[in-house]
Amino acid sequence: MLRLVARILPTTPDYHGTAWMIRVAGRRLLTPIAMVIVAIALCDVMFALDSIPAIFGLTQEPYLVFTANAFALMGLRQLYFLLGGLLDRLVYLSHGLALILAFIGVKLIAQAAHDTFPQIPVWLSLTVILTVLAATTIASLAASRHTRTQDANNSASGTTPPAQPVPPGGKTH
């Protein structure tokens, strides 16, 4: 997307202080800082588009769908950075989110084939989502606490810990 924006809007590869746009030979050019702003805005839109199937899994009410997506545009970037900082501790979060997305997919299929499959009520959807998030958070915090306790014991005893398998998510502690 940034390459497309760079083709449409003239850009310069050089920084010019904190300016977003400069004038060179009578032409306005975007600076790399402006391209960063464009990249952040595009990420916000992509995250908001990702949440559309999730909200349709809960409700068909147009006002709620629009409001949820507006709030997603405003707040998902901050939530992403918060979760990015917590991912070292929440090692099972990706598994929980995959389970939630699979559940919402099943719910959307059941809604589309309402003659064949029973409808999943909203209260059950919210209960499943909250239960999965709580379970993965508790399991992740317990696993990271166990790992920190082992690391502290190994450093206190002066022994080198044995090679650890890579935890779920591929991140090492």
Side-chain angles (χ1 to χ4, degrees):
M1 290 299 293
L2 287 177
R3 287 183 190 145
L4 177 65
V5 170
R7 276 191 221 149
I8 295 171
L9 302 172
T11 60
T12 178
D14 302 321
Y15 288 94
H16 296 272
T18 59
W20 292 12
M21 189 178 297
I22 61 165
R23 193 177 290 270
V24 174
R27 269 183 83 194
R28 290 180 180 224
L29 302 174
L30 293 179
T31 65
I33 291 177
M35 294 305 284
V36 168
I37 302 285
V38 169
I40 290 171
L42 289 172
C43 287
D44 281 347
V45 170
M46 287 186 338
F47 279 129
L49 289 176
D50 185 38
S51 68
I52 290 172
I55 192 65
F56 272 120
L58 294 174
T59 183
Q60 299 290 321
E61 181 65 35
Y63 177 74
L64 291 177
V65 171
F66 175 78
T67 305
N69 285 301
F71 281 119
L73 275 171
M74 292 187 298
L76 275 178
R77 182 178 355 116
Q78 291 81 1
L79 182 63
Y80 174 78
F81 287 117
L82 172 71
L83 287 177
L86 290 175
L87 279 181
D88 287 340
R89 294 184 65 192
L90 299 177
V91 293
Y92 297 117
L93 182 64
S94 60
H95 298 291
L97 292 177
L99 188 62
I100 289 170
L101 287 175
F103 173 76
I104 294 217
V106 168
K107 181 172 168 125
L108 288 173
I109 290 170
Q111 278 183 330
H114 58 84
D115 296 336
T116 310
F117 296 108
Q119 295 299 300
I120 301 171
V122 173
W123 66 266
L124 180 60
S125 297
L126 291 175
T127 303
V128 167
I129 291 168
L130 290 175
T131 302
V132 168
L133 285 176
T136 57
T137 300
I138 291 168
S140 295
L141 292 176
S144 68
R145 181 178 299 139
H146 178 72
T147 302
R148 281 184 288 155
T149 303
Q150 278 184 337
D151 290 345
N153 290 340
N154 288 337
S155 65
S157 66
T159 60
T160 305
Q164 297 279 333
V166 175
K171 296 202 182 241
T172 57
H173 296 283

